[in-house]
């Protein structure tokens, strides 16, 4: 919601890819699918994982670290996005109402 309001990117994708790896001597593969990929106006890419901080288990924290390292290797950023401030979230929801076709067709955009 925040990226849309800022118009941070020209393109975005939900669940853009899946990483899969083996760590140490484990035979079982671990995988992670990030939540979003955003291509910013300047051409840089950023991968986003959205989860409240209090819901990140230790195993998930490792997945986020591996994802951040993989993103860095290809020149992308990585951001963990927690819970938006309630006032900011309410304001962004209100502003997003002005993206409705009835408002846009009146030239108020």
């Amino acid at each position: 919601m925040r990226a849309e309001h800022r118009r941070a990117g020209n393109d975005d994708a939900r669940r853009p890819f899946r990483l899969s790896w083996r760590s140490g001597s484990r035979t079982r593969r671990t995988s992670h699918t990030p939540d979003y990929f955003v291509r910013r106006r300047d051409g840089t890419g950023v991968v986003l994982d959205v989860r409240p901080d209090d819901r990140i288990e230790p195993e998930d924290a490792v997945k986020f670290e591996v994802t951040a390292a993989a993103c860095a290797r290809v020149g992308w950023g990585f951001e963990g996005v927690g819970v938006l401030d309630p006032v900011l979230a309410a304001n962004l929801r209100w502003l997003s109402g002005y993206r409705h076709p009835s408002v846009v067709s009146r030239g108020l955009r």
Side-chain angles (χ1 to χ4, degrees), residues 3 14 16 23-25 31-32 36 44 50 55 63 67-68 74 78 86 89 94 101 109:
R14 292 184 178 130
S23 54
S25 61
S31 65
H32 176 63
Y36 295 95
T44 60
V50 181
R55 292 189 50 216
K63 291 178 181 181
T67 302
V74 297
F78 174 81
W94 182 80
R109 188 170 190 191

Side-chain angles (χ1 to χ4, degrees), residues 2-3 5-6 14-15 22 29 36-37 39-40 54 58 60 65-68 74 88 95 104 107:
R2 186 170 47 191
H5 174 68
R6 288 183 181 170
R14 292 184 178 130
R15 301 288 190 176
R22 286 194 180 100
R29 295 186 75 80
Y36 295 95
F37 174 82
R39 176 75 58 193
R40 293 184 169 145
D54 62 348
D60 296 325
E65 288 173 17
V66 170
T67 302
V74 297
L88 175 62
L95 288 169
V104 173

Side-chain angles (χ1 to χ4, degrees), residues 6-95:
R6 288 183 181 170
R7 293 194 176 269
N10 293 333
D11 298 309
D12 62 68
R14 292 184 178 130
R15 301 288 190 176
F17 57 85
R18 182 178 195 171
L19 293 173
S20 180
W21 66 94
R22 286 194 180 100
S23 54
S25 61
R26 294 180 65 184
T27 57
R28 185 174 157 251
R29 295 186 75 80
T30 303
S31 65
H32 176 63
T33 305
D35 295 314
Y36 295 95
F37 174 82
V38 174
R39 176 75 58 193
R40 293 184 169 145
R41 287 184 189 159
D42 65 3
T44 60
V46 64
V47 172
L48 305 173
D49 264 311
V50 181
R51 186 166 319 167
D53 293 339
D54 62 348
R55 292 189 50 216
I56 299 175
E57 300 294 330
E59 183 177 300
D60 296 325
V62 170
K63 291 178 181 181
F64 292 172
E65 288 173 17
V66 170
T67 302
C71 289
R73 287 188 74 168
V74 297
W76 296 340
F78 174 81
E79 295 179 20
V81 180
V83 177
L84 289 177
D85 173 77
V87 173
L88 175 62
N91 286 333
L92 291 174
R93 268 190 223 95
W94 182 80
L95 288 169

Side-chain angles (χ1 to χ4, degrees), residues 90-103:
N91 286 333
L92 291 174
R93 268 190 223 95
W94 182 80
L95 288 169
S96 70
Y98 288 95
R99 293 185 177 270
H100 190 275
S102 68
V103 175

